[in-house]
């Protein structure tokens, strides 16, 4: 407690507790400290006294008699004609790709009994390499979202596709052939087929205009894509970039970054990572040396870097001590590394900053090795496009549009420009919206067509590096949805086409030889023959450093795409809503992040609603104190406050688009902040971020790599005989980027329920693996430590000892088995678990029996009922499946044959699972590294999951 | 109340004359004497040379059996068919863990068997008794001390019994029939 | 604190029975309460209120079974909340009865005689209230029977290393033996009731309940031996039960729980809370039913002294906990200790200190001790304090354990409070039924006392 | 008998109970004790009984399909109709078309197989009543049992003996773990695995030899997670 907490002003790297504690508040209550908050009891809506009594009676009757009545054995229904696949119960994997802001990420989709159940990375795809990010894992849930749009709507009323086609034909026939003034709005896309279809449409209707809109930043700099190879970098400079976490190539980048941070055979050639950013990002907080700076201040520092690199001795002018130390060390290391120096800028940075940062690579010599330019893969700068949403607004306002066609985009929410002309859209002679949800834009358009999920239709996309993939469906469209390809074809030709034919037409085009053979290979591998442009040339010569003004700019606001729901498109995905935001651990909300010192200056604490006025816009959002946030900068993510997202996303969070500038910039200077006196309940899954002097996350210096070894432990007991496989896991904290992909992979694999904001606020989140975050050092610029914590599978498991019914016992292979159907729910095991990795079904968290969400469930994992404890078991269903295969063939299980879901998803390969009894296994090699340690080793629980300490490569200070 | 005599009852108002009456009846040669008192009277058992009750030995035996059974049950549960379960890496024969239940079941069986034995030895439950019909017997549970010379005594005649009891100064003497 | 035996005889300051009481008067006045119900309005008021609270308990349990334990405030990491706090509290209260009956009987403390019946009944009802909680706190209470050893279709056994299984045996044994002990002690009095009841129906009822007891010398011969042996069994039992409850915590490796001091410290705390509850209940009942002749000022004085002594043992327990935490040098233990004193639940801790340590110190003064209202208030404080003690042990240890990332907070909900209140109602309702229909003071034993005094005159 | 009239009730009071009442009371007490013990015994007997476990019970079926005839007398291999038993978790149920491989030629017009013909014509499957069923929380895999030498008859009984399919074994956990704890004695020789009838003679190999032959690793068999996850 206070005995161990430090003076917040001291810059000593002491480990400290929550922000509330720093401010002298003992209460860590997530809702602002009310000891017994009103309405904390449980009475679900729509349950009156009568039905309560009915249910009570029924439950007593069932409880009393259910045990003594024989259940029906049910029916068994064989096929009339047996299917081709003799084993429909066995998972099959199909290659396809998930769209990531229009780019492809190759995936393999697991299908059991004909329904897609889980997404894995495609090892053959360059932007997946077998791994995924969290958003990719969550994409499977969208398929089964009950809120998805199911029928065409005309003015909000149910209609049909045929009526739509007829009405469109009528619209066209009322105008001279080909003269209809059609406006087509899409997101920037890499799909060759869609671009071809759009092209054909523009050909067919000379007056048609094509606009492209996305609220997110373009990945292009002057028409080219910067691309990085972190594995070749010795020194990395990130300028506000989050490219290891949120980028079409983030998996590849994370893999490359991890290569430079991994201890192998006791050695490491560690990269050194510098970051300068205004708000902590998943990528930035990994930096060995990190400097928070507000957007205007960043420009000053970049100017200093530029000067220092040029050898201008006056570079220190106007810098603070911390800043000049940062710049000095950075410049020294960048010059020393030359070709191995990599500079990366965030996409949300102003274009001059991105240009300058990219040009540094050319100056330092890393262009061609760690850095390269790629030709554009996305249609951002397509010649036929007439501009973005602003251009469309002008066109509508100018009367140049008779028919508006919005494809797979939601501009009525995401475009500040278009929000203003919604009444005008409603008055157009024809307007149609294609989308997975009857969302905000659907409400503005006369027609709404349900869109097919990408697992329901054919398509094609290019990856960031240009690799093309054919997207194949895993399931018939559940709600008769259409793809954008099909809609464009309907609009152009009036026929009701098939996406399969459209995609094949595009790819057959101009192709010689045996097309079917190639097509089948593309579909099977998930990677089409590469038509990617090779590395492009640098766009221009030397670039001047971003100019900066010297006057004090005051407070600035930094908008950012949300780490989970992006621009709001995933707002109705409950997995993503409940997945803690990587750094704040916030769920089901966004918040205005303020630095600790700004918070005390404004007099606000977590949950106080503040009003931010910026350039005429106004947004009110609850403040959340974020250590490491630039002092004069408030950050808030977009994508919340939606009103037609669906039952999950409606009304969640605060709509930061209200202050988004029309031109799509992300930083706003000179904002005004006032307090409102109101409070909002912010819910986090973790609310104590200090490490309390406990050795839970260990760090080692890259030079010495010395970790104190614990004394050998002896036992009076003989211990249990261990023969056969001994499962174990190693988690490398040095390569872990803290992205939470493991959390969602586990959720998808193990049927983990979503419990909602209220239950999380009561401390009842269900994730089996969590990513702990700790802050260490000065609150305004701490070191961030993250640590994924699954069940440790202790050999001396404390949980097992106290279970009265033996529902959790050890397996012969060292698993801490959890037998759901034996559990009576005393929760004693959770109390006795020092790692608190056990999760309890306090209420019935299962979806209703008839819910469509159940189709996603993994049939090989029991869906837990109310009152049952659950936890990670190293994906024992996968172990069993592999064992059955191996036993049938009378061979041992091969190393790497079993991948746990978290391991499989991890982009950084930080998690390795395997047989520790086999000294040649990968996990044994990991555990033999000098940086291996057990969490809470002193308790002698002997965990099978151990960690590799986080390697820091801070280097010496400039002086 | 059918004719056969049960015995002769004398009621006393205090312990001293009650004990005195027993002694006097014994002196008169009666050996089959029973008493009915509102509480346990010290000296009564010695005077009547009652055998020590076996309740304590029964309880001891029951307790040992219960404890041994409890320990065996736990031992059996962890060794069930050589199917040994690894619980938290602890040894199979975690005998210290078995002590509490062994103790509890020792106490439980001793208490239950002892109580049953007491009832059995005392001939309870017995709802009917010749004395229940007799006048004034309700005072035996309140404030009177009753001495009864039983009819089964070979020397018993109503008159002899009355003569033996009267010298102690009873408040009342009554003949009771079955 | 060991009043000498001869205090019972003649010392005017140390009267255990008022002058002029004879076996006849004892029988008359004590049996008059169930037979005549001398204070019907008081009885109906308390019983009626308690019954309404029992209805609240029924509603709380009904809602619990419909929705699940999630209606309470428990979470991860605080997976045990009010249910366990209440369980330990009630079980502790249940310890005074057996302690007074058994241990004081073995120690030949005659002053137990006036209060043993009542406290045994209190024990039974407290155990009944306590026994509700381990059942309802289960996530799946319908599978409670899996904690019992029986030949099931799964060929599985309970996990006998778990203290919760020990609890099952300890609590059920304690409940059963307490019931047997109480009932055996009640048999002669039931016979008295049979013989004094006014209507034939009641005489029949009491006649059946006393199993035909007739005070025969042969009965007494077996009976007295059994009774003393049951006392001999109950004495270690009473120690074992709360030791095992203490082991529920001590076996766990949680800082703040994993402590060898727990079993004795829990036993002392249990007796402490038991005596305070006895005083809380006896003081008003004694006044209302005019039992001052039997539960004399001397009785209250002795109970106050026992309570104070136990309070000091409990205080020593607190001290030991902190001392051990400090002396261990263990970062986790030290943190939990400090967190109790200044953490989010510090108000509970300090309230506990006031209730359990400060309040009883007023009883050092014989004047204050002799003042019945003061004694009553102090007893009330200790009752609350002992509940707080369990709250502090359970909640503060759980809410911040090893990994700071998993630290949490616990807020009780309406249903937590309603269930606690409901069991208090149930306890009072049962107790008032007992007072209404059974003699609340052992007539046969007081008669022995009265007769002995008559004899000595 | 004269006593203080103030504290005495009517001295000519009738006794409350007769000797008969004592007998009834004692019998009732004994009965209550028996009830406690007896209900436990009855519950044990009930839940281990064939009634509860449905052993030996043949549920009605839409077609009076005879395993005795097909498997016992005609000696059609089990795998003919349950084709995935060696490769998959499910043994597989014969599709309508599987039946029609023979029954498009023989007995085509009998009343008995009318439902089969109707199924083929309408395309709607035949709904059989399940005989063997495991709870949802049990993950059972046929293929591994066959691979490790557990014959069909070991769990399904002598299916070639009865006309209608009856449940051959209780399939309760006690029965399952009985074998998982001591599998050797229940294994069969490779040639016997698909017999419809348990061989009259015990296998020539000893349990230990069979365990070695099938490479059975007994340690994992009794892990909870082997069947429950």
């Amino acid at each position: 407690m206070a005995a161990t907490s430090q003076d917040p002003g001291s810059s000593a790297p002491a480990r400290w507790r929550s922000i509330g504690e720093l401010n002298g508040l003992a209460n860590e209550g997530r809702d602002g400290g009310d000891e017994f908050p009103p309405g904390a009891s449980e009475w679900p809506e729509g349950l009156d006294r009568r039905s309560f009594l009915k249910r009570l009676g029924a439950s007593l009757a069932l409880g009393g008699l259910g045990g003594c009545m024989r259940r029906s054995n049910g029916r068994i229904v064989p096929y009339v004609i047996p299917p081709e696949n003799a084993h429909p119960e066995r998972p099959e994997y199909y290659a396809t790709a998930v769209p990531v802001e229009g780019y492809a990420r190759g995936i393999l989709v697991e299908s059991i009994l004909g329904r897609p159940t889980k997404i894995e990375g495609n090892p053959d795809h360059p932007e997946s390499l077998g791994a995924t990010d969290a958003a990719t894992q969550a994409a499977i849930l969208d398929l089964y979202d009950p809120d998805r749009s199911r029928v065409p709507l005309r003015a909000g009323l149910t209609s049909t596709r045929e009526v739509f086609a007829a009405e469109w034909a009528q619209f066209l026939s009322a105008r001279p052939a080909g003269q209809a003034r059609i406006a087509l709005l899409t997101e920037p896309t890499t799909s060759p087929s869609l671009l071809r279809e759009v092209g054909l449409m523009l050909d067919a209707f000379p007056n048609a205009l094509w606009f492209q809109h996305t609220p997110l930043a373009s990945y292009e700099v002057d028409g080219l894509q910067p691309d990085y190879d972190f594995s070749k970098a010795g020194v990395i400079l990130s300028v506000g970039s989050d490219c290891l976490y949120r980028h079409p190539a983030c998996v590849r980048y994370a893999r490359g970054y991890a290569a430079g941070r991994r201890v192998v055979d006791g050695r490491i050639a560690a990269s050194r990572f510098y970051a300068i950013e205004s708000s902590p990002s998943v990528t930035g907080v990994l930096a060995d040396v990190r400097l928070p700076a507000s957007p205007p201040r960043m420009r000053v520092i970049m100017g200093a870097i530029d000067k220092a690199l040029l050898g201008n001795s006056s570079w220190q002018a106007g810098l603070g001590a911390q800043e000049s130390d940062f710049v000095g060390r950075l410049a020294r290391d960048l010059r020393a590394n030359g070709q191995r120096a990599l500079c990366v800028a965030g996409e949300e940075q102003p274009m001059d900053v991105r240009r300058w940062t990219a040009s540094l690579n050319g100056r330092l010599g890393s262009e061609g090795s760690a850095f390269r330019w790629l030709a554009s893969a996305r249609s951002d700068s397509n010649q036929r496009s007439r501009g973005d949403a602003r251009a469309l607004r002008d066109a509508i306002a100018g009367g140049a549009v008779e028919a508006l066609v919005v494809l797979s985009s939601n501009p009525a929410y995401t475009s500040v420009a278009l929000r203003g002309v919604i009444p005008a859209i409603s008055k157009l002679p024809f307007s149609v919206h294609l989308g997975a949800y009857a969302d905000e834009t659907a409400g503005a358009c006369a027609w709404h067509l349900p869109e097919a999920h990408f697992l329901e239709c054919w398509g094609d996309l290019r990856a960031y590096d240009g690799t093309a993939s054919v997207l194949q469906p895993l399931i018939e469209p559940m709600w008769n949805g259409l793809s954008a390809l099909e809609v464009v074809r309907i609009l152009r030709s009036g026929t009701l086409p098939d996406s399969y034919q459209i995609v094949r037409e595009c790819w057959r085009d101009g192709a010689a030889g045996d097309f079917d053979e190639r097509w089948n290979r593309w579909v099977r591998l998930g990677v089409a023959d590469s038509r990617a442009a090779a590395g492009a040339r640098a766009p221009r010569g030397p670039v001047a450093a971003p100019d900066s003004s010297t006057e004090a700019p005051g407070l600035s606001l930094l908008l950012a795409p949300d780490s989970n729901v992006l621009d709001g498109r995933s707002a109705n995905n409950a997995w993503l809503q409940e997945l803690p935001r990587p750094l704040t651990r916030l769920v089901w909300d966004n918040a205005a992040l303020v630095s600790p010192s700004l918070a005390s200056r404004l007099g606000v604490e977590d949950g106080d609603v503040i009003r931010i006025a910026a350039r005429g816009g106004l947004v009110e959002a609850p403040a959340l104190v974020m250590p490491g946030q630039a002092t004069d900068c408030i950050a808030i993510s977009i994508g919340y406050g939606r009103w037609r997202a669906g039952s999950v996303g409606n009304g969640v969070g605060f709509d930061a688009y209200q202050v988004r500038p029309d031109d799509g910039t992300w930083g706003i200077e000179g904002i005004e902040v006032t307090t409102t006196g109101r409070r909002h309940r912010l819910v986090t899954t973790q609310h104590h971020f200090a490490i309390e002097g406990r050795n839970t996350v260990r760090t080692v210096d890259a030079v010495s790599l010395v970790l104190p070894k614990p004394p050998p432990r002896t036992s009076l007991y003989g211990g249990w005989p261990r023969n056969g496989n001994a499962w174990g896991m190693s988690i490398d904290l040095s390569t872990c980027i803290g992205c939470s992909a493991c959390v969602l992979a586990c959720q998808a694999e193990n049927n983990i329920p979503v419990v909602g904001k209220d239950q999380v606020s009561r401390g009842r989140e269900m994730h089996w693996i969590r990513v702990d975050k700790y802050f260490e050092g000065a609150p305004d610029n701490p070191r961030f430590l993250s640590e994924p914590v699954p069940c440790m599978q202790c050999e001396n498991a404390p949980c097992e000892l106290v279970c009265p019914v033996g529902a959790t016992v050890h397996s012969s292979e060292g698993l801490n088995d959890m037998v759901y159907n034996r559990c009576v729910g005393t929760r004693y095991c959770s109390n006795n678990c020092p790692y608190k990795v056990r999760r309890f079904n306090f209420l019935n968290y299962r979806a209703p029996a008839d819910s469509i969400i159940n189709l996603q469930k993994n049939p090989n994992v029991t869906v837990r009922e109310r009152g049952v404890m659950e936890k990670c078991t190293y994906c024992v269903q996968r172990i069993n499946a592999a064992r059955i295969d191996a036993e049938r063939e009378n061979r041992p299980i091969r190393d790497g044959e079993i991948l746990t879901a978290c391991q499989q998803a991890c982009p950084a390969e930080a998690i390795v699972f395997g047989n520790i009894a086999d000294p040649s296994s990968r996990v044994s090699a990991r555990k033999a590294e000098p940086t291996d340690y057990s969490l809470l080793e002193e308790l002698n629980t002997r965990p099978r999951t151990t960690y590799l300490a986080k390697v820091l490569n801070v280097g010496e200070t400039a002086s | 109340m059918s004719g056969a005599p049960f015995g002769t009852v004398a009621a006393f108002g205090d312990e001293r004359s009650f004990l005195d009456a027993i002694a006097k009846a014994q002196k008169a040669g009666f050996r089959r004497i029973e008493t009915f008192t509102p509480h346990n009277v010290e000296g009564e058992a010695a005077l009547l040379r009652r055998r020590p009750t076996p309740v304590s030995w029964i309880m001891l035996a029951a307790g040992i059996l219960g404890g041994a059974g409890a320990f065996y049950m736990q031992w059996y549960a962890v060794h069930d068919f050589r199917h040994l379960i690894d619980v938290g890496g602890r040894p199979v024969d975690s005998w210290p863990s078995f002590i509490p239940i062994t103790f509890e079941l020792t106490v439980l069986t001793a208490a239950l068997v002892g109580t049953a034995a007491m009832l059995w030895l005392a001939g309870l439950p017995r709802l009917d008794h010749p004395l229940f019909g007799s006048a004034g017997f309700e005072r035996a549970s309140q404030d009177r001390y009753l001495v009864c010379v039983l009819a089964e005594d070979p020397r018993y005649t109503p008159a002899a019994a009355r003569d033996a009891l009267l010298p102690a100064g009873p408040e009342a003497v009554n003949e009771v029939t079955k | 604190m060991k009043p000498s035996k001869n205090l019972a005889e003649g010392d005017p300051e140390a009267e255990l029975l008022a002058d002029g009481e004879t076996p006849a008067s004892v029988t008359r006045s004590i049996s008059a309460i169930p037979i005549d119900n001398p204070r019907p309005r008081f009885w109906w008021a308390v019983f009626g209120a308690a019954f309404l609270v029992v209805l609240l308990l029924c509603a709380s349990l009904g809602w619990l079974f419909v929705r699940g334990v999630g209606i309470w405030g428990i979470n991860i990491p605080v997976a045990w909340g009010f249910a366990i706090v209440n369980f330990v509290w009630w079980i502790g209260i249940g310890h005074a009865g057996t302690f007074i009956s058994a241990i004081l009987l073995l120690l030949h403390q005659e002053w137990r005689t006036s209060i043993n019946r009542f406290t045994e009944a209190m024990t039974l009802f407290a155990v009944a209230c306590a026994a509700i909680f381990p059942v309802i706190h289960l996530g799946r209470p319908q599978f409670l029977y899996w904690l019992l050893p029986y030949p099931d279709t799964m060929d599985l056994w309970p996990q006998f290393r778990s203290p919760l299984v020990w609890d099952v045996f300890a609590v059920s044994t304690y409940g059963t033996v307490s019931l047997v002990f109480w009932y055996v002690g009640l048999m002669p009095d039931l016979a008295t009731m049979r013989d004094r009841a006014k209507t034939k129906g009641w005489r029949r009822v009491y006649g059946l309940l006393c199993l035909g007891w007739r005070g025969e010398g042969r009965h007494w011969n077996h009976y007295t031996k059994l009774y003393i042996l049951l006392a001999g069994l109950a004495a270690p039992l009473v120690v074992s039960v709360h030791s095992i409850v203490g082991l529920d915590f001590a076996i766990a490796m949680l800082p703040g729980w994993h402590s060898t001091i727990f079993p004795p410290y829990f036993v002392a705390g249990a007796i402490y809370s038991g005596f305070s509850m006895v005083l809380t209940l006896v003081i008003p009942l004694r006044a209302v039913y005019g039992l001052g002749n039997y539960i004399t000022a001397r009785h209250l004085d002795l109970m106050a002294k026992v309570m104070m002594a136990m309070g000091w043992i409990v205080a020593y327990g607190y001290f030991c906990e902190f001392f051990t935490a400090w002396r261990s040098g263990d970062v986790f233990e030290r943190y939990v200790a400090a967190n109790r004193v200044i953490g989010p639940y510090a108000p509970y801790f300090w309230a506990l200190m006031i209730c359990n340590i400060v309040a009883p110190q007023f009883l050092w003064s014989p004047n204050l001790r002799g003042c019945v209202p003061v004694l009553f208030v102090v007893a009330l404080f200790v009752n609350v304090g002992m509940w707080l003690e369990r709250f502090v042990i359970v909640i503060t240890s759980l809410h911040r354990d090893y990994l700071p990332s998993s630290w949490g907070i616990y807020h009780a909900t309406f249903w937590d409070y309603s269930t606690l209140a409901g069991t208090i109602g149930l306890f009072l309702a049962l107790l008032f039924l007992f007072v209404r229909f059974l003699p609340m003071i052992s007539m046969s034993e007081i008669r022995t006392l009265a007769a002995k005094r008559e004899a000595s005159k | 008998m004269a006593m203080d009239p103030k504290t005495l009730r009517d001295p000519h009071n009738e006794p409350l109970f007769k000797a008969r009442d004592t007998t009834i009371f004692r019998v009732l007490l004994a009965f209550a004790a028996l009830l406690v013990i007896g209900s436990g015994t009855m519950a044990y007997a009930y839940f281990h009984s064939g009634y509860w476990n449905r052993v030996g019970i043949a549920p009605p079926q839409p077609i009076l399909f005879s395993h005795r005839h097909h498997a016992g007398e005609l000696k059609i291999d089990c795998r003919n109709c349950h084709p995935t038993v060696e490769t998959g978790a499910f043994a597989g149920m014969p599709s309508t078309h599987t039946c029609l491989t023979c029954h498009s030629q023989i007995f085509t017009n009998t009343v008995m197989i009318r439902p089969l013909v109707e199924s083929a014509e309408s395309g709607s499957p035949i709904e059989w009543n399940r005989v063997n069923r495991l709870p949802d929380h049990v993950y059972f895999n046929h293929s591994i049992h066959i691979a490790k030498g557990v014959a069909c008859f070991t769990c399904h009984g002598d299916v070639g003996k009865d006309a209608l399919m009856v449940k051959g074994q209780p399939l309760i956990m006690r029965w399952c773990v009985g074998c998982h704890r001591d599998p050797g004695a229940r294994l069969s020789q490779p040639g016997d695995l698909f017999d419809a009838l348990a061989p009259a003679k015990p296998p020539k190999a000893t349990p230990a030899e069979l365990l070695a032959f099938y490479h059975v690793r007994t340690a994992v068999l009794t892990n909870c997670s082997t069947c429950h996850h």
Side-chain angles (χ1 to χ4, degrees), chain A residues 804-805 826, chain B residues 101 104-105 108, chain C residues 87 131 134-135 138 144-149 158 160 162-176 244-245 248:
Chain A
V805 292
T826 67
Chain B
I101 292 177
E104 298 298 332
L105 287 188
L108 183 66
Chain C
F87 164 69
V135 179
L138 293 182
L144 172 77
Y145 60 93
W146 283 350
L147 274 78
L148 305 174
F160 286 113
S162 168
L164 291 187
V165 180
W166 308 347
D167 259 353
V168 170
F169 283 87
V171 173
S172 54
T173 299
Y174 187 57
T176 312
I244 288 172
V245 172
D248 282 348

Side-chain angles (χ1 to χ4, degrees), chain A residues 142-143 145-153 161 164 185-187 404-412 431-454 456-457 477 479-488 491 569 572 642 644-646:
Chain A
D142 290 338
L143 175 65
D145 189 342
D147 291 342
R148 264 177 71 192
S149 175
R150 302 187 179 191
V151 286
L153 297 176
R161 209 188 269 188
F164 169 75
L185 182 71
T186 67
E187 289 204 325
L404 175 65
V405 178
V406 181
L407 297 179
S408 324
S409 176
N410 184 19
S431 58
V432 57
H433 167 250
L434 173 74
Y437 298 89
D439 56 19
E440 290 84 351
T441 307
C445 295
W447 274 93
H448 164 73
L449 298 174
E451 187 182 15
H453 189 263
F454 72 89
E456 292 176 333
C457 60
W479 312 116
N480 230 353
L482 291 164
S483 69
L485 286 176
E486 290 166 328
V487 172
V488 178
L491 296 176
R569 68 183 68 193
N572 211 49
R642 289 190 59 183
R644 285 187 67 159

